[in-house]
């Protein structure tokens, strides 16, 4: 079974530029999550989708971050404009029923 | 506010010994508590889930306890091996699979 796919794996951008990350969850998983993990910290939930509807986006900085999950499958997370403090790993995860969440390898963002 | 504490100092133990990691929380009533393993440059990998009405859960060399009175979970790895070296994250789920993670504890198992 293929895991959660993310791209790009690494991205370096200048502050005020924009960046987009893509995620393809495990086939059949209705729930998709985006987490932000800053170095030395645990992952922090940014947004949770159930199919193509948003379940929770309370910790998403909506002035600069946006996410969509068209057709209830893959998802895109965008940051515009980026700030230095956005440097982090962006982890996509998915789950079906039950509580086991499967994470991708992450997209590493460095803002300079 | 909700707080999850894991020992930020790395835990170094000898191969064959039992590693015990601690997760304490405050201002939280989780329905579930989960433990994940994270290797450098990789995403977290699910290990074990324990429900609020369960005291203990085991899986091979892993054991998790959950004390809702003390607001604490202990994670044990018995007969530890160098391959167990990683960062271990605890995560609380108040419902709906919305996980709040601790900062993780790095475990190093030495020969």
């Amino acid at each position: 079974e293929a895991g959660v796919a993310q791209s790009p794996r690494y991205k370096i951008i200048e502050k005020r530029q924009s960046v987009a990350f893509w995620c393809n969850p495990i086939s059949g998983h209705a729930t998709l999550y985006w987490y932000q993990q800053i170095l030395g910290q645990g992952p922090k939930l940014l947004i949770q989708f159930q199919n193509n509807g948003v379940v929770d986006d309370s910790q998403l900085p909506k002035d600069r971050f946006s996410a969509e999950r068209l057709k209830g499958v893959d998802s895109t997370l965008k940051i515009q404009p980026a700030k230095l403090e956005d440097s982090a790993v962006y982890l996509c995860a998915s789950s079906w029923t039950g509580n086991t969440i499967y994470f991708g390898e992450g997209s590493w963002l460095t803002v300079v | 506010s909700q707080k999850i504490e894991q020992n930020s100092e790395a835990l170094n133990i000898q191969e064959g010994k039992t590693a015990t990691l601690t997760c304490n929380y405050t201002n939280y009533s989780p329905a579930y508590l989960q433990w994940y393993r994270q290797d450098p440059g990789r995403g977290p990998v699910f290990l074990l889930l324990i429900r609020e009405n369960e005291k203990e859960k085991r899986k091979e060399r892993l054991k998790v306890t959950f004390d809702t009175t003390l607001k604490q979970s202990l994670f044990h790895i018995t007969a530890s091996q160098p391959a167990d070296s990683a960062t271990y994250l605890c995560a609380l789920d108040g419902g709906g699979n919305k996980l709040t993670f601790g900062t993780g504890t790095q475990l190093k198992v030495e020969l």
Side-chain angles (χ1 to χ4, degrees), chain A residues 11 21 35-39 84-91 107-111:
Chain A
K11 191 79 176 177
F21 300 113
Y35 283 83
Q36 179 193 57
Q37 186 173 24
I38 293 171
L39 191 64
L84 296 176
E85 59 259 36
D86 298 331
S87 295
V89 181
Y90 291 87
L91 294 161
S107 292
W108 293 66
L109 174 65
T110 302
V111 183

Side-chain angles (χ1 to χ4, degrees), chain B residues 32-72:
Chain B
Y32 307 94
L33 188 146
Q34 303 186 27
W35 283 89
Y36 286 78
R37 169 186 173 137
Q38 187 170 28
D39 291 284
R42 311 292 294 272
V45 174
F46 172 79
L47 295 175
L48 277 170
L49 176 151
I50 187 165
R51 292 177 170 76
E52 60 177 336
N53 60 352
E54 296 176 319
K55 296 285 186 194
E56 184 179 295
K57 202 82 168 274
R58 290 175 185 260
K59 179 183 173 184
E60 297 171 355
R61 294 185 295 112
L62 308 180
K63 184 178 89 171
V64 172
T65 63
F66 193 11
D67 189 326
T68 54
T69 303
L70 290 179
K71 294 188 183 296
Q72 181 181 77

Side-chain angles (χ1 to χ4, degrees), chain A residues 72-105:
Chain A
V73 182
D74 55 357
S75 175
T76 304
L77 176 71
K78 294 180 183 173
I79 307 173
Q80 181 179 18
K83 291 186 174 181
L84 296 176
E85 59 259 36
D86 298 331
S87 295
V89 181
Y90 291 87
L91 294 161
C92 181
S94 69
S95 65
W96 186 47
T97 59
N99 304 96
T100 303
I101 295 177
Y102 298 86
F103 283 84
E105 300 288 52

